[in-house]
Amino acid sequence: MNNNYLSKNNDQPKKSEVVIVGGGIVGAACFYYLTQQGIQVTLIEKNGLSMGTSRGGQGGVGYELEANDWEMLWYRSCFNEYQKILAEDFQIDVVSKGGLIIGDSEKEVELLITLSNKLKDKQYPVKWIDQKNLRDIEPNLSHHLSGAVYAKERIGVSSIKVSSQLVKRAVEKGGKLCLHTELNDIELINNKVNAVITSSGKISTSNIIIAAGVWSRFIAQKIKLDLPVWPLKGHVMVTTPLFNMLNHYLSDIKYQFTENQTLKANIGDSGPTDVEPQVAPVLQPLKAGPILIGSSREFANFDRSIVKKRLKELSQKAINLIPKLSKVSIQKIYTGLRPWTPDSRPIIGESTMYRGIYFATGHSGSGITGSLFTGKIISKLIRNKPMPFNMLPVQPDRFNI
């Protein structure tokens, strides 16, 4: 894809109907959906596109088997938005053979079978694959694994390519892209947005969308809002190209358990505490051949340093699923910071304290999955259009903001 539009940074406008703060995948999605509605939008980003959370994760899109009815409706809507952009020829390096969710204990297998039957009864495209048939579709899996749930609606994408394609189309619709532009202040008059002050000057606006991932809390502090979004660190290893080593997006059911553990955190002045670091394997085959091996969950504030102990544990757990990985070379290791909230759900909607302040943040480990649908919801809110279903579980008022 031609990225010339990135090198031709727009001059900052004097006025914009909407200003988005944050150039990750969620901000890019808001940018795209708003401009498709003919809305005058400016996106400001203090660095380059997708330089934060969006660059530091994996690229899975799908739903958790333990999700409740509302969450399944949310995830299905998120997945459908990806189907739409793929139909519009978005080039996002999709790997779309579905996902496998593994359990390696008797108790986990029983849980997986129960969950898959429940979802199958509700017409979701999932099925249980027993030990014999599992090796037919993934020959390199360990022989001790008793089976897996196959989820058709689980794909892998490149988050960076998703973001860049969204922004490209937004700019083509007249959106203004201001990279390397930092938000300095938000101007309010009578508890309503009037303008933003950036490192390049003032933009008059009546709507601000805070979509800055783990940095959203600092944006909200400028108007004295206590936005409960905190960084949750994860590790990822990237193998050398391994064509045919893994066909499906592969995750251990314990990865969902690690997310549940984070909900036990106590929130102190310095952020979430009292939860031990968690590690469970999630393996994503990339279109170019490598496999992304993630991930861990730990509260370490903004420390992105690599912890060797976490890598060792992650390697052992990945090899437990695919023994041949023990002979594979790792070409890259990185960490990322997920924007975590105390209930592990995103914060999407208008502030109850100030008119014109909107949140699109706090997606934790599901930002890539939820990005597109979040952008669609924000575009409907700005135009005061009806929601496709009840958005109460993600509304800001649950945190009094």
Side-chain angles (χ1 to χ4, degrees):
M1 181 182 64
N2 189 329
N3 287 337
N4 288 340
Y5 68 97
L6 293 179
S7 62
K8 297 178 181 177
N9 204 29
N10 292 133
D11 291 333
Q12 180 173 292
K14 299 294 184 182
K15 186 177 181 180
S16 186
E17 185 177 350
V18 178
V19 173
I20 301 168
V21 184
I25 192 169
V26 174
C30 293
F31 196 31
Y32 169 76
Y33 282 92
L34 286 164
T35 55
Q36 301 311 297
Q37 295 289 321
I39 298 171
Q40 184 187 32
V41 189
T42 300
L43 187 152
I44 63 172
E45 162 57 47
K46 66 179 180 179
N47 298 306
L49 281 179
S50 299
M51 295 298 291
T53 296
S54 300
R55 187 173 291 269
Q58 292 176 273
V61 176
Y63 47 76
E64 302 294 344
L65 297 183
E66 288 191 300
N68 61 35
D69 287 345
W70 185 91
E71 290 166 339
M72 289 303 294
L73 184 57
W74 165 266
Y75 284 126
R76 173 61 68 83
S77 300
C78 294
F79 186 82
N80 287 343
E81 289 305 309
Y82 271 92
Q83 295 300 99
K84 290 176 184 177
I85 68 166
L86 287 169
E88 295 173 11
D89 200 32
F90 274 60
Q91 301 300 311
I92 56 175
D93 285 356
V94 63
V95 177
S96 57
K97 292 186 177 181
L100 293 173
I101 302 91
I102 299 283
D104 61 2
S105 71
E106 184 176 338
K107 184 176 180 180
E108 289 171 359
V109 167
E110 289 177 359
L111 174 62
L112 284 170
I113 292 173
T114 298
L115 291 172
S116 64
N117 286 337
K118 186 183 296 184
L119 289 176
K120 192 174 180 180
D121 289 343
K122 295 180 179 180
Q123 307 304 310
Y124 287 95
V126 301
K127 63 180 179 179
W128 174 252
I129 300 176
D130 62 22
Q131 187 177 49
K132 178 182 177 182
N133 292 315
L134 184 59
R135 240 64 57 185
D136 291 338
I137 63 172
E138 285 292 358
N140 294 310
L141 288 180
S142 174
H143 287 278
H144 82 278
L145 298 171
S146 300
V149 174
Y150 170 73
K152 183 179 180 181
E153 294 179 338
R154 185 167 288 196
I155 61 175
V157 300
S158 164
S159 62
I160 294 172
K161 289 196 173 183
V162 174
S163 298
S164 62
Q165 293 258 321
L166 291 169
V167 168
K168 180 177 184 293
R169 285 162 171 78
V171 170
E172 289 171 347
K173 283 286 189 177
K176 303 298 182 183
L177 177 65
C178 299
L179 302 178
H180 309 288
T181 302
E182 190 161 2
L183 178 72
N184 291 334
D185 204 0
I186 297 172
E187 184 180 282
L188 301 170
I189 296 179
N190 297 324
N191 292 330
K192 188 179 185 306
V193 171
N194 186 65
V196 296
I197 313 300
T198 79
S199 53
S200 298
K202 181 176 180 178
I203 307 174
S204 297
T205 186
S206 54
N207 301 287
I208 300 172
I209 299 167
I210 299 175
V214 293
W215 294 274
S216 297
R217 186 163 54 94
F218 301 119
I219 303 300
Q221 285 174 351
K222 294 179 184 296
I223 49 176
K224 296 181 171 55
L225 289 180
D226 187 13
L227 181 65
V229 174
W230 303 88
L232 180 63
K233 180 176 170 180
H235 289 72
V236 178
M237 299 183 290
V238 187
T239 73
T240 52
L242 300 170
F243 293 102
N244 302 319
M245 175 73 78
L246 179 65
N247 300 312
H248 300 78
Y249 196 97
L250 181 68
S251 58
D252 192 316
I253 185 64
K254 287 184 282 292
Y255 187 69
Q256 178 61 40
F257 300 163
T258 66
E259 180 178 5
N260 297 339
Q261 284 296 112
T262 67
L263 300 179
K264 300 177 182 179
N266 293 314
I267 311 296
D269 292 338
S270 59
T273 60
D274 301 328
V275 174
E276 290 296 316
Q278 308 285 313
V279 177
V282 177
L283 280 62
Q284 177 189 353
L286 301 182
K287 192 173 183 179
I291 296 174
L292 299 186
I293 302 174
S295 181
S296 59
R297 299 184 199 264
E298 60 184 298
F299 294 112
N301 209 336
F302 285 86
D303 177 10
R304 294 187 61 169
S305 62
I306 293 170
V307 181
K308 291 183 179 179
K309 181 180 179 181
R310 234 60 86 226
L311 296 180
K312 182 178 180 180
E313 189 175 357
L314 185 56
S315 297
Q316 291 171 340
K317 290 178 182 293
I319 292 168
N320 183 57
L321 297 182
I322 303 179
K324 286 185 179 180
L325 288 175
S326 63
K327 302 182 184 302
V328 166
S329 297
I330 299 298
Q331 65 174 333
K332 184 179 180 181
I333 298 169
Y334 58 87
T335 62
L337 301 174
R338 310 173 183 89
W340 177 89
T341 65
D343 59 9
S344 202
R345 294 199 305 267
I347 302 172
I348 304 169
E350 189 173 15
S351 169
T352 60
M353 307 297 290
Y354 303 112
R355 285 192 61 196
I357 294 288
Y358 292 85
F359 303 102
T361 188
H363 292 74
S364 193
S366 297
I368 296 171
T369 294
S371 58
L372 301 183
F373 193 56
T374 296
K376 185 174 185 176
I377 292 302
I378 288 293
S379 71
K380 287 181 176 293
L381 287 169
I382 293 292
R383 279 291 184 251
N384 199 28
K385 293 183 178 180
M387 294 295 101
F389 54 90
N390 173 28
M391 289 293 135
L392 190 62
V394 296
Q395 286 180 355
D397 59 1
R398 71 188 195 274
F399 295 119
N400 297 316
I401 53 172

